[in-house]
Amino acid sequence: MAEPVVRIPDAKVALSTASVYPESTATAFEIAARLGYDGVEVMVWTDPVSQDIEALRRLSDYHQIPILAVHAPCLLITQRVWSTDPWVKLQRAQAAAEKLGASTVVVHPPFRWQRQYARDFVSGIWRMANETDVRFAVENMYPWRYRDREMLAYAPDWDVTKEDYRHFTIDLSHSATARSDAMQLADRMGDRLGHVHLADGRGSAKDEHLVPGRGTQPCAELLERLALTGFDGHVVIEVNTRRAMSSAEREADLAEALAFTRLHLASAVKVPRP
């Protein structure tokens, strides 16, 4: 009989700099290094440091923690960050990833009112992906809801599996908000699933980004599947700690998220011993 042994995949566990908001990008590097994360994902937004490649390189070198991914500025609050042209934003995100040694650029599908960008998005992402070794991992989103009304804010669709992309990012807080089945979503992504935003949610109309294990999403089940399938992308903790009453409480949440992730990425499987 083969004895059960623990197999841990090559996936690295990173901290999104968004997880420390309203604290700074620099604080995220410090916390990630202190807690033992494998790296960081830089959310490019209104913090000037997040937009400055040399400042990010210095933080990475000082804390001895690599930048594994760059999240392009796709949010409403970042419409003027790195240009108002969405293609320029992606070009700059690609250049930042290449210079910083990050393997992945995370990108949201366009807003519906970005009509020309949305029309060319799928072919444009393929074109850019063919020009670099950096992965452009398109992230699942969700419909916007207000009371009983639902607005489709993203184009071609918030469900990115309806389009042909080379790589996907799965975000479990977004699947909760969309009220979609996260495991079925991962099935549809298949071997094109290249990046994970790990957070939890309870199905609220608000994008909650709870610490994994505090909502209803199959965070543990997804991690265990990634371990069994030998996933070699990055698992990024992207949680909301804005309600933390202190820096110590914020760090405790981020330490809990890291421990949860590492625990469930270690899978007991039957491997024949020599």
Side-chain angles (χ1 to χ4, degrees):
M1 288 289 292
E3 297 179 23
V5 298
V6 172
R7 181 177 67 185
I8 300 174
D10 294 332
K12 290 182 168 61
V13 183
L15 179 66
S16 168
T17 58
S19 294
V20 307
Y21 182 84
E23 296 196 58
S24 67
T25 300
T27 300
F29 278 82
E30 178 187 348
I31 292 174
R34 185 162 59 248
L35 293 182
Y37 279 82
D38 298 317
V40 299
E41 175 178 300
V42 174
M43 170 70 80
V44 180
W45 56 359
T46 53
D47 181 347
V49 171
S50 74
Q51 306 169 30
D52 186 329
I53 293 173
E54 289 309 313
L56 293 169
R57 194 196 312 276
R58 288 194 295 271
L59 283 169
S60 178
D61 291 345
Y62 179 78
H63 292 288
Q64 290 295 288
I65 192 159
I67 297 169
L68 301 178
V70 173
H71 195 310
C74 305
L75 305 174
L76 285 172
I77 63 170
T78 61
Q79 290 185 87
R80 296 186 178 278
V81 172
W82 279 359
S83 169
T84 56
D85 183 332
W87 289 115
V88 173
K89 292 174 185 284
L90 292 189
Q91 289 163 2
R92 293 190 63 172
Q94 175 186 331
E98 290 170 344
K99 291 176 182 176
L100 294 168
S103 65
T104 304
V105 167
V106 178
V107 57
H108 293 180
F111 293 113
R112 295 191 73 84
W113 54 85
Q114 296 175 300
R115 293 182 181 177
Q116 187 60 49
Y117 179 46
R119 189 175 299 120
D120 299 335
F121 183 69
V122 178
S123 61
I125 288 292
W126 269 102
R127 183 180 63 253
M128 293 187 72
N130 286 331
E131 296 171 353
T132 179
D133 291 332
V134 173
R135 293 178 173 183
F136 285 88
V138 186
E139 184 172 3
N140 62 297
M141 299 304 291
Y142 47 84
W144 290 3
R145 294 188 179 93
Y146 178 72
R147 295 181 179 172
D148 295 329
R149 296 184 179 182
E150 185 175 287
M151 183 176 80
L152 302 179
Y154 299 96
D157 203 284
W158 60 264
D159 181 354
V160 293
T161 64
K162 292 182 178 180
E163 302 297 332
D164 179 27
Y165 299 112
R166 180 175 292 174
H167 292 108
F168 293 110
T169 296
I170 190 169
D171 184 307
L172 273 71
S173 179
H174 293 176
S175 64
T177 305
R179 299 170 188 167
S180 58
D181 186 308
M183 298 303 283
Q184 290 182 8
L185 180 64
D187 285 341
R188 294 198 298 275
M189 291 180 175
D191 59 8
R192 293 180 292 167
L193 173 56
H195 199 70
V196 176
H197 279 172
L198 194 68
D200 217 329
R202 302 189 187 98
S204 167
K206 294 181 180 179
D207 185 16
E208 296 172 287
H209 284 274
L210 304 177
V211 171
R214 297 184 186 178
T216 60
Q217 292 301 286
C219 298
E221 292 87 343
L222 178 66
L223 291 170
E224 289 161 7
R225 178 186 293 186
L226 295 178
L228 289 169
T229 56
F231 179 73
D232 63 354
H234 305 317
V235 178
V236 178
I237 303 299
E238 190 184 73
V239 296
N240 183 346
T241 63
R242 278 175 281 184
R243 294 186 178 180
M245 300 301 291
S246 65
S247 295
E249 184 178 335
R250 173 173 290 109
E251 286 198 32
D253 284 346
L254 298 177
E256 178 184 330
L258 177 60
F260 179 101
T261 304
R262 289 234 168 97
L263 172 65
H264 292 287
L265 272 177
S267 65
V269 295
K270 290 186 181 297
V271 178
R273 291 184 181 277

